[in-house]
Amino acid sequence: MASKSWSPTYLANQLWAKQPKANAELFALTYGALVAELVRDLETNDKIQAELDRMGHSMGIRSVEEFLAKASLEPQSQTAVTCSQFKDTSDVLKMALKMFLGITTEAGVQEDSHFSIQFAENPLSLFVELPPDRSDLEYSQLLCGYVRGMLEMLQFDVTVTMAQSVLRGDEVNEMRVDLNQVLQAGAGDDYQEE
Amino acid sequence: MNRLSAPTSISVNILDRPIGGRGSRSTSEQTVSLSMFSYLYSEIVQYHQNRVDSISELERKLEATGYGVGLRVLELLTFRTKDYTRETSLMNMLQFVSTTAWKSLFGKAADSLERSIDHADEYMIVDYAPITSTFVSVPADFGGLSVDAYISGMIGGMLDGAGFPARVTAHSVALEDVVLPPRKEKAVFLVKFAASVLERDAHLS
């Protein structure tokens, strides 16, 4: 008997509805305060972005656990999501972004080794306009690190960049995810069982 | 509706964009998940923790971060009222912070607003479950660190922005005989106003 299966969008909305919420403006202002702090402390754009990326990375690592615990993606559950190829990962990623950030994303490019995700609303940059002397700062680098951290926990070594950003004058935000390699599951060689 | 959800064109200056609230965006678009906020806040605390030598310094850092946010929140909330009012009396301002501002930021009013018995210039805003410490447990050797210092900074920013300079500190107070909610501590934000504020308030009333 074929079990009933749900679309990823439906599941994502279900997950989002169940999540306890926090005010998006408080979130945006808090992130803004952090970036302002980093600008004062670290000065160069490269260092600021590296720090944001690192923070996003560790947030992503924690989010994966919560996502897997709450999303129940096992084959026997009522889920239409299976990741047989890397590009299918984008569907699950879209679910996670909806669940944590409440944003609806659109799939952009879908190739074997890279895909992109587009979104109109960026909760990080709610009240933001970049000053002229920081116009090339990638303000939303945290999101790139976030996605990189999540996928790393799923054994994908990826490079994430903001291909387009509304803050820099593009029509839409677009995150590009490039697959470097699939990591080996399990512990390393030097791990020995007692 | 479609026009609103379309990507914002860069030609629109940030000052010309709608500031939201009052139904121009639906409530679902104005939230992120609580866990996302907590992850972010945890990163902020860790970042500062690596750059300070003492617990009190860490609290000052968090307060400083919150201060700027408080100023902006006050401005934002003021713009959203119909008549751009600013509270001028001390009690009304405290009410504004502990109910209006609290509701818009945390989705609920603060649990209580109390006046200190011993000191006329001290007030306390009490919250049983502030979101900055919902998922936080402070290690024993961290000597009474209150991670709610961020919120106390915000309160300080809001009061200062409205012309009520005050020293605001966050304290975690252990709860005896907990019934509800199931927490061992409550957060008390102690507001100590500058002498000039009390003097002015006495003149006004």
Side-chain angles (χ1 to χ4, degrees):
Chain A
M1 190 183 77
S3 66
K4 193 176 178 187
S5 64
W6 306 102
S7 77
T9 318
Y10 176 81
L11 281 171
N13 287 334
Q14 290 284 92
L15 286 169
W16 168 241
K18 280 188 213 152
Q19 281 287 77
K21 304 291 195 303
N23 186 312
E25 287 167 358
L26 178 63
F27 180 72
L29 289 169
T30 305
Y31 182 67
L34 170 67
V35 177
E37 205 93 29
L38 293 183
V39 168
R40 274 194 294 276
D41 289 350
L42 304 173
E43 290 167 9
T44 68
N45 285 356
D46 286 346
K47 281 191 199 160
I48 297 166
Q49 281 166 215
E51 185 65 20
L52 287 175
D53 197 81
R54 191 196 59 74
M55 288 179 173
H57 180 254
S58 75
M59 288 165 71
I61 287 175
R62 290 152 176 237
S63 293
V64 164
E65 306 227 359
E66 185 178 343
F67 178 73
L68 292 178
K70 290 183 176 169
S72 59
L73 293 171
E74 302 88 17
Q76 67 270 26
S77 72
Q78 303 165 321
T79 317
V81 185
T82 48
C83 295
S84 50
Q85 291 173 64
F86 175 66
K87 58 182 176 185
D88 298 336
T89 318
S90 72
D91 277 341
V92 187
L93 193 56
K94 281 163 66 183
M95 286 171 70
L97 289 175
K98 177 76 187 176
M99 174 176 166
F100 289 105
L101 289 166
I103 52 173
T104 307
T105 47
E106 304 274 337
V109 195
Q110 295 272 11
E111 300 284 335
D112 281 344
S113 66
H114 70 94
F115 61 79
S116 74
I117 286 181
Q118 298 181 336
F119 47 100
E121 297 233 10
N122 181 353
L124 293 178
S125 59
L126 202 52
F127 300 112
V128 178
E129 186 158 87
L130 293 173
D133 58 328
R134 291 279 172 194
S135 56
D136 49 350
L137 172 70
E138 191 40 82
Y139 187 82
S140 308
Q141 186 70 32
L142 186 99
L143 276 184
C144 299
Y146 186 63
V147 169
R148 184 168 67 87
M150 286 204 279
L151 291 180
E152 187 182 300
M153 289 303 275
L154 305 171
Q155 313 297 341
F156 292 115
D157 176 13
V158 293
T159 306
V160 188
T161 46
M162 292 296 285
Q164 293 191 72
S165 161
V166 174
L167 280 181
R168 287 200 308 253
D170 298 314
E171 282 288 296
V172 72
N173 297 296
E174 182 170 15
M175 224 177 343
R176 184 190 155 109
V177 183
D178 283 276
L179 178 66
N180 298 334
Q181 57 167 323
V182 179
L183 302 166
Q184 290 300 312
D189 292 336
D190 46 348
Y191 176 78
Q192 288 186 343
E193 213 149 314
E194 295 283 317
Chain B
M1 191 61 219
N2 272 332
R3 198 181 58 82
L4 277 176
S5 59
T8 323
S9 164
I10 193 65
S11 59
V12 181
N13 185 280
I14 192 162
L15 297 173
D16 295 329
R17 278 181 226 153
I19 52 168
R22 287 206 303 236
S24 68
R25 299 172 81 212
S26 71
T27 41
S28 67
E29 283 172 311
Q30 286 187 42
T31 49
V32 297
S33 70
L34 177 59
S35 27
M36 194 69 190
F37 177 84
S38 307
Y39 293 140
L40 178 69
Y41 187 66
S42 141
E43 289 302 320
I44 293 177
V45 175
Q46 286 175 50
Y47 173 79
H48 286 312
Q49 199 187 329
N50 290 332
R51 292 176 155 255
V52 296
D53 301 320
S54 70
I55 298 298
S56 61
E57 211 181 321
L58 174 59
E59 287 182 344
R60 293 300 89 72
K61 281 273 185 192
L62 291 173
E63 272 172 23
T65 311
Y67 183 85
V69 175
L71 287 177
R72 285 163 180 81
V73 168
L74 176 74
E75 199 179 5
L76 187 63
L77 292 177
T78 309
F79 277 132
R80 280 184 187 158
T81 58
K82 287 198 185 75
D83 42 6
Y84 307 121
T85 46
R86 177 175 73 84
E87 301 296 344
T88 50
S89 89
L90 190 101
M91 270 325 286
N92 288 353
M93 187 60 209
L94 280 171
Q95 287 287 355
F96 170 83
V97 171
S98 64
T99 53
T100 315
W102 224 267
K103 265 184 196 158
S104 96
L105 290 170
F106 312 122
K108 65 173 186 68
D111 290 303
S112 71
L113 170 64
E114 292 160 22
R115 183 183 195 151
S116 164
I117 302 164
D118 306 330
H119 305 278
D121 58 347
E122 288 186 354
Y123 290 84
M124 285 165 284
I125 300 174
V126 180
D127 198 313
Y128 286 99
I131 61 170
T132 46
S133 59
T134 309
F135 300 120
V136 175
S137 54
V138 178
D141 58 339
F142 269 50
L145 165 71
S146 177
V147 282
D148 299 318
Y150 180 64
I151 297 183
S152 73
M154 281 166 62
I155 299 172
M158 277 189 270
L159 291 175
D160 219 5
F164 293 84
R167 177 88 191 94
V168 188
T169 45
H171 306 271
S172 294
V173 177
L175 289 169
E176 301 144 15
D177 309 323
V178 191
V179 259
L180 273 170
R183 270 172 64 97
K184 290 198 189 101
E185 289 176 332
K186 63 179 178 181
V188 176
F189 302 101
L190 186 67
V191 184
K192 188 176 172 63
F193 285 104
S196 62
V197 175
L198 289 159
E199 219 169 90
R200 186 186 60 202
D201 204 57
H203 273 297
L204 286 174
S205 54

